[in-house]
Amino acid sequence: MSSLRNRIAALLIVSIIAVIALATVVADQTLQPPPPDATIEPVARSLAFAVTMAERDPSLQQPRYFRIEQKPPEGDLDGMLSEFLEKALAQVGEPRTAIVIRAPGSSAPVAAIALEKSGWLVAEIPHMGPPPGGWKIFGMWIGLIILGGAAVSIFAARKITRPLDMLENAAASIGPDGSLPHLSETGPGEIRATARALNELARRLKAAMESRMRLVAAAGHDLRTPMTRMRLRAEFIENDEERGKWLADLEELNAIADSAILLVREEVSQDTVKMIDIGRLLGEIVSELSDLGYADTLDFMKPEAAMIIKAAPLALKRALRNLILNAVTHGKTARIDLTEDESEVVVTIRDEGPGIPQELIGRVFEPFFRVDLGRRKSIPGVGLGLAIAREIIERFGGTITIANHKKQGLIQTVILAKVA
């Protein structure tokens, strides 16, 4: 979002500067001072009058406007302007010898006109060009435009992208259960409209999630009654092989119903969050699974220092147990490593199984997904263990990823926030 805001602000700044620069160029071309040959005649009239008055009565000279000197002032001769001045003096009165000098440090040129007897009448010619330091003033003008344009553009960009900021923040704050926080419907019209739309989306999403959970829970519960009747009827089947098949299928249906109910229960669970030593929790899981006959397939070294996280103990234990059972069931072994840094605790579970085809690894968290449906009969489970584990771990702000090892097997990685 900041990238979009910066691009909008940059576009507005460039547009403002381009418009002002174009207007400045047009104004500069339109408001150019008149050429010297067009403005020298009024100056020549004034100077001719001053020469006449100075020759008649030298005491009338006014140092403020002109002065009588024995020689022209020092400086650089402006030949073109001198020629224009002599021609203008010849047109308005008597021809005179005149020169225009540009003295160092002075912006206005100085005219020197030879008098009949002796001396020179010296007077400044009005400056028709830009003021001194024009480029500095122009630079300050452009700098002021850039600063003002940048301030206005950034403000406008923030106003334009504020509804998009709300969308981005709302998407980032979606909880593990898919819920959106309620937004305050205040501010300008477009902000209120965006907040109102997001709140309505959150309400409908929550209703849809609750409806889905109720549907799954009701289906899992309602299946129990017909399955019980079917189990009773299966007991009266005389053929032992056929009866065994019926009971096995019913047992699988019962496991699916139980897992569906458990998944819904995890989504709505409000277990108390506590401080947990995850090393100790993993040790308990490994001990329990060892008692169930998995001792030879588990490899875990409990760290000496405690690694504390915040989570619901029973729920997190269920999630990690599912992941470890997944490793020993499908991968024959489970090597469990526990590491930490300043802010995170990382649980890595590696097995030595066949892994998962790369094109299917993105679907492993889908409910009821099995990599090989043909193994359903030989390997217990209904494909909800990973879905339940992810639901639990993400509820406590953690992440879980699954990837194939470079050599052989699968790596399940759980990252949880560490309590300082």
Side-chain angles (χ1 to χ4, degrees):
M1 186 57 60
S2 59
S3 175
L4 176 61
R5 185 185 300 112
N6 293 338
R7 289 200 297 270
I8 293 175
L11 178 62
L12 292 174
I13 292 172
V14 171
S15 301
I16 292 173
I17 293 175
V19 171
I20 299 299
L22 180 61
T24 302
V25 171
V26 172
D28 181 67
Q29 295 298 321
T30 305
L31 303 177
Q32 283 286 347
D37 57 346
T39 59
I40 200 67
E41 184 176 346
V43 176
R45 290 181 183 277
S46 299
L47 292 176
F49 177 76
V51 168
T52 302
M53 296 300 295
E55 289 180 340
R56 290 181 180 178
D57 187 0
S59 65
L60 293 177
Q61 63 173 317
Q62 300 181 32
R64 181 178 178 185
Y65 302 107
F66 64 88
R67 60 188 182 276
I68 305 298
E69 296 184 0
Q70 294 302 314
K71 61 180 182 178
E74 296 181 355
D76 298 328
L77 176 65
D78 190 330
M80 182 180 67
L81 200 56
S82 298
E83 183 180 353
F84 289 156
L85 180 58
E86 284 188 348
K87 289 182 180 180
L89 288 172
Q91 291 176 359
V92 300
E94 298 180 3
R96 297 279 184 170
T97 300
I99 59 175
V100 177
I101 303 297
R102 292 190 179 275
S106 176
S107 59
V110 177
I113 303 172
L115 301 176
E116 287 183 352
K117 296 180 179 181
S118 64
W120 295 76
L121 183 140
V122 179
E124 286 189 356
I125 297 177
H127 180 60
M128 299 294 181
W135 285 108
K136 293 181 181 179
I137 296 175
F138 182 75
M140 294 175 61
W141 164 254
I142 294 298
L144 183 62
I145 290 173
I146 293 174
L147 291 177
V152 172
S153 300
I154 292 172
F155 176 77
R158 290 181 65 86
K159 295 288 288 183
I160 292 171
T161 59
R162 190 174 175 188
L164 298 179
D165 278 335
M166 292 184 63
L167 291 175
E168 183 181 30
N169 294 334
S173 59
I174 295 177
D177 58 349
S179 61
L180 287 168
H182 182 79
L183 300 176
S184 176
E185 299 179 11
T186 58
E190 65 274 10
I191 302 300
R192 293 197 304 271
T194 303
R196 193 179 304 113
L198 288 174
N199 289 334
E200 179 64 16
L201 173 63
R203 186 188 65 79
R204 293 186 180 183
L205 182 61
K206 182 179 180 180
M209 293 288 292
E210 292 176 349
S211 176
R212 179 181 68 88
M213 289 188 292
R214 285 195 298 268
L215 177 62
V216 174
H221 184 271
D222 293 344
L223 280 174
R224 294 180 183 277
T225 300
M227 285 192 299
T228 301
R229 292 198 302 263
M230 293 173 68
R231 185 177 288 106
L232 291 174
R233 292 171 184 169
E235 294 292 344
F236 291 98
I237 297 176
E238 295 181 357
N239 188 299
D240 293 341
E241 183 179 357
E242 189 69 20
R243 183 173 63 254
K245 292 180 180 180
W246 272 87
L247 292 176
D249 289 341
L250 288 171
E251 189 63 32
E252 185 175 355
L253 285 174
N254 188 65
I256 292 174
D258 288 342
S259 297
I261 294 173
L262 180 61
L263 178 61
V264 173
R265 185 180 301 161
E266 290 300 338
E267 290 187 358
V268 300
S269 176
Q270 299 293 332
D271 293 346
T272 303
V273 175
K274 300 179 180 178
M275 299 291 184
I276 303 173
D277 181 359
I278 192 168
R280 181 177 179 181
L281 184 67
L282 285 170
E284 293 176 0
I285 296 173
V286 170
S287 178
E288 293 174 2
L289 293 179
S290 298
D291 294 340
L292 295 176
Y294 294 103
D296 296 336
T297 61
L298 295 171
D299 180 10
F300 174 65
M301 180 65 68
K302 181 181 176 182
E304 295 181 0
M307 300 182 187
I308 307 300
I309 62 171
K310 289 181 68 174
L314 293 179
L316 184 60
K317 188 174 184 180
R318 185 181 302 116
L320 296 175
R321 180 188 176 96
N322 283 349
L323 298 179
I324 297 173
L325 273 175
N326 186 65
V328 297
T329 302
H330 299 281
K332 307 306 179 184
T333 60
R335 178 180 176 180
I336 307 164
D337 294 318
L338 183 60
T339 59
E340 65 175 341
D341 57 20
E342 295 181 356
S343 60
E344 295 176 338
V345 172
V346 181
V347 181
T348 305
I349 305 169
R350 180 185 169 188
D351 62 52
E352 298 180 359
I356 298 175
Q358 197 62 35
E359 65 272 12
L360 297 177
I361 203 165
R363 301 181 56 195
V364 294
F365 294 109
E366 295 179 6
F368 303 108
F369 173 75
R370 299 290 291 270
V371 175
D372 185 2
L373 294 177
R375 301 169 66 189
R376 183 186 293 273
K377 298 294 183 181
S378 59
I379 298 178
V382 296
L384 276 176
L386 288 177
I388 294 174
R390 184 175 68 170
E391 179 68 33
I392 295 172
I393 291 169
E394 289 185 349
R395 195 196 324 154
F396 302 124
T399 60
I400 175 173
T401 57
I402 293 181
N404 287 310
H405 193 265
K406 293 181 179 180
K407 296 181 179 179
Q408 181 184 4
L410 206 65
I411 299 177
Q412 304 175 92
T413 305
V414 176
I415 300 177
L416 295 164
K418 179 182 176 183
V419 176

